[in-house]
Amino acid sequence: MTPIVRFAPSPTGNIHIGNSRTALVNWLYAEKHNGQFILRYDDTDKARSKQEYADQILKDLNWLGIEPDRIERQSGRFSAYDEAAENLRAHGLLYACYETPDELDRKRKRQLARGLPPIYDRAGLNLTAEQKQALEAEGRNAHWRFLLPNFDGSTENLVRTPVTWNDVVRGEQTIDLASMSDPVLIREDGTYLYTLPSVVDDIEMGVTHIIRGDDHVTNTAAQIAIFEALGAKSPDFGHHNLLTTASGEGLSKRLGSLSIASLNEDGYEPMAVASLAVLIGTSGAVEAITTMEELIQRFDPSTITKSAAKFDVAELDSLNKKLVHAKPYSNARQKLEAAGIGGGEDFWNVVRENIEKLPEAADWWQMVEHATPVIDKDDVEFLQQARTLLPDQPWGEETWTEWTSLIKQQTGRKGRALFMPLRKAMTGREHGPELAAILLLIGREKTLARLAGARALPV
Ligand code: GLU
């Protein structure tokens, strides 16, 4: 069977690294098994969903290397949800309730005070047509609950009803439906919560595996019951652990700094983000994986641990640095060119070891093109001498050694006293890539000009 998975974000904000974990785990699962990946916008909440977020989510997925096989929108499928809701109503499985949030809260508090579990008492089920009319005449609108199949004979007679599934990530899971309230499927303003549309779509789209965060484990039990109520076989489920911030807080779409869009803008490598998002919180090592193909090989959902995984930017920085240091020019070229960074392969091979994120190469390119020499008074004469000793072209790898041996002989300087004035004059800085390589990048004319203290070449 070819797996069909889906990633179902609500386009109500930018996706963050935690959401990308869900997307990637689904994508890797599909790729590993030659399956299909559906991007399904969970946009039934018309007021909060925005096209710009939907567009950005697709961009973010593409940036990470995910190319959905199919894109669907729930906002275009209300008639299918209405039909399913009608079907459930016709079977007495979707019933109207009229309690306000405050009333529900009071009910729960009373139950807890009496040592009872705070489960909805199904009062809505016992309302007569007249009572419903009277409540509506008061200005109340019904919200609609799904009747869980957790009773024997009378709906008040709850019996243990274990729902068990073999979770792709967590192994065998069991939830007792008698421990849950009947879930609300339709709000009092007539809008759908994600629970029913998601099941309707999963059935119609032939989804075989629902892989999502472990905050959905309880929903899964209710949704399995809904699949059955709609006459469908439920797909397989997998629940991965969630990422938290380093201080243990849940990630939220409001945490702009960890959005995929901002990580992209900050110059992170997509494979650094993908490696961390997938390998963190697993029993395997978190490593910088270079290609999606390798990540597909490495990925094994059963290695995901059960406890939450802490996302730490320092770890992302360290993976990113490793990828940049090893990044071949062929891979970096497009981005370097787009950022107006010249110098080709020679330049890239010299600077990549000195940067942590690719865009930082711009700063070194600026150094090659337009450094402002820094020359101490005591070094003016020394640099003049060095200037006269600069070998003629053609230059090669040995030019630097050739030149500095001559300087050493003629001036008697060595070590830091020899190299630092050259570095500061040639690059305007005290640190940086090997001078032997910089010399070749800068070339003879610029070196001569800089040793004489000139910022620009004479025209
Ligand atoms: N929009 C839901 C969420 O992001 C989808 C849950 C699901 O994958 O079924 O939590």
Side-chain angles (χ1 to χ4, degrees), residues 6 8 10 42 194 198 212 216:
R6 81 306 189 275
S10 333
D42 188 342
Y194 93 101
S198 173
R212 53 190 181 181
H216 284 291

mmCIF file of all heavy atoms in Angstrom, residues 6 8 10 42 194 198 212 216, ligand 1:
data_model
loop_
_atom_site.group_PDB
_atom_site.id
_atom_site.type_symbol
_atom_site.label_atom_id
_atom_site.label_comp_id
_atom_site.label_asym_id
_atom_site.label_seq_id
_atom_site.Cartn_x
_atom_site.Cartn_y
_atom_site.Cartn_z
ATOM 1 N N ARG A 6 -0.440 13.555 5.328
ATOM 2 C CA ARG A 6 -0.778 14.965 5.116
ATOM 3 C C ARG A 6 -0.223 15.799 6.258
ATOM 4 O O ARG A 6 -0.044 15.341 7.384
ATOM 5 C CB ARG A 6 -2.276 15.155 4.937
ATOM 6 C CG ARG A 6 -3.179 15.213 6.148
ATOM 7 C CD ARG A 6 -3.071 14.078 7.101
ATOM 8 N NE ARG A 6 -4.081 14.059 8.128
ATOM 9 C CZ ARG A 6 -4.030 14.721 9.283
ATOM 10 N NH1 ARG A 6 -2.977 15.421 9.604
ATOM 11 N NH2 ARG A 6 -5.016 14.647 10.143
ATOM 12 N N ALA A 8 -1.246 19.337 8.029
ATOM 13 C CA ALA A 8 -2.480 20.129 8.035
ATOM 14 C C ALA A 8 -2.370 21.384 8.906
ATOM 15 O O ALA A 8 -3.011 21.488 9.947
ATOM 16 C CB ALA A 8 -3.635 19.243 8.527
ATOM 17 N N SER A 10 -2.874 25.286 10.169
ATOM 18 C CA SER A 10 -3.848 26.366 9.980
ATOM 19 C C SER A 10 -3.054 27.582 9.524
ATOM 20 O O SER A 10 -2.083 27.946 10.179
ATOM 21 C CB SER A 10 -4.551 26.738 11.277
ATOM 22 O OG SER A 10 -4.576 25.656 12.143
ATOM 23 N N ASP A 42 -5.676 23.808 6.930
ATOM 24 C CA ASP A 42 -6.759 23.676 7.894
ATOM 25 C C ASP A 42 -7.306 25.093 8.102
ATOM 26 O O ASP A 42 -6.999 25.755 9.086
ATOM 27 C CB ASP A 42 -6.107 23.097 9.165
ATOM 28 C CG ASP A 42 -7.096 22.717 10.218
ATOM 29 O OD1 ASP A 42 -8.234 23.194 10.155
ATOM 30 O OD2 ASP A 42 -6.708 21.964 11.114
ATOM 31 N N TYR A 194 -11.546 21.507 14.072
ATOM 32 C CA TYR A 194 -10.836 20.734 13.042
ATOM 33 C C TYR A 194 -11.225 19.245 13.072
ATOM 34 O O TYR A 194 -11.050 18.528 12.087
ATOM 35 C CB TYR A 194 -9.318 20.913 13.201
ATOM 36 C CG TYR A 194 -8.678 19.862 14.034
ATOM 37 C CD1 TYR A 194 -7.999 18.803 13.427
ATOM 38 C CD2 TYR A 194 -8.818 19.857 15.405
ATOM 39 C CE1 TYR A 194 -7.464 17.791 14.194
ATOM 40 C CE2 TYR A 194 -8.274 18.841 16.166
ATOM 41 C CZ TYR A 194 -7.606 17.813 15.554
ATOM 42 O OH TYR A 194 -7.095 16.801 16.284
ATOM 43 N N SER A 198 -11.314 17.162 9.513
ATOM 44 C CA SER A 198 -10.077 16.411 9.343
ATOM 45 C C SER A 198 -10.378 14.939 9.015
ATOM 46 O O SER A 198 -9.782 14.358 8.097
ATOM 47 C CB SER A 198 -9.300 16.550 10.654
ATOM 48 O OG SER A 198 -8.189 15.753 10.648
ATOM 49 N N ARG A 212 1.319 13.343 13.645
ATOM 50 C CA ARG A 212 1.186 14.697 14.182
ATOM 51 C C ARG A 212 1.727 14.737 15.602
ATOM 52 O O ARG A 212 2.193 13.730 16.115
ATOM 53 C CB ARG A 212 -0.279 15.131 14.137
ATOM 54 C CG ARG A 212 -1.217 14.136 14.816
ATOM 55 C CD ARG A 212 -2.674 14.486 14.537
ATOM 56 N NE ARG A 212 -3.590 13.564 15.195
ATOM 57 C CZ ARG A 212 -4.901 13.626 15.097
ATOM 58 N NH1 ARG A 212 -5.459 14.567 14.366
ATOM 59 N NH2 ARG A 212 -5.677 12.769 15.716
ATOM 60 N N HIS A 216 -2.110 15.594 20.280
ATOM 61 C CA HIS A 216 -3.343 15.110 19.648
ATOM 62 C C HIS A 216 -3.718 13.690 20.065
ATOM 63 O O HIS A 216 -4.687 13.142 19.537
ATOM 64 C CB HIS A 216 -3.200 15.142 18.124
ATOM 65 C CG HIS A 216 -3.308 16.529 17.554
ATOM 66 N ND1 HIS A 216 -4.475 17.243 17.555
ATOM 67 C CD2 HIS A 216 -2.382 17.334 16.981
ATOM 68 C CE1 HIS A 216 -4.275 18.420 16.994
ATOM 69 N NE2 HIS A 216 -3.010 18.502 16.648
HETATM 70 N N1 GLU B 1 -4.417 21.911 12.234
HETATM 71 C C1 GLU B 1 -4.219 20.850 13.178
HETATM 72 C C2 GLU B 1 -2.954 21.144 13.944
HETATM 73 O O1 GLU B 1 -2.040 21.734 13.381
HETATM 74 C C3 GLU B 1 -4.120 19.558 12.432
HETATM 75 C C4 GLU B 1 -4.022 18.350 13.277
HETATM 76 C C5 GLU B 1 -3.894 17.099 12.435
HETATM 77 O O2 GLU B 1 -2.828 16.934 11.827
HETATM 78 O O3 GLU B 1 -4.814 16.339 12.361
HETATM 79 O O4 GLU B 1 -2.840 20.842 15.098
#
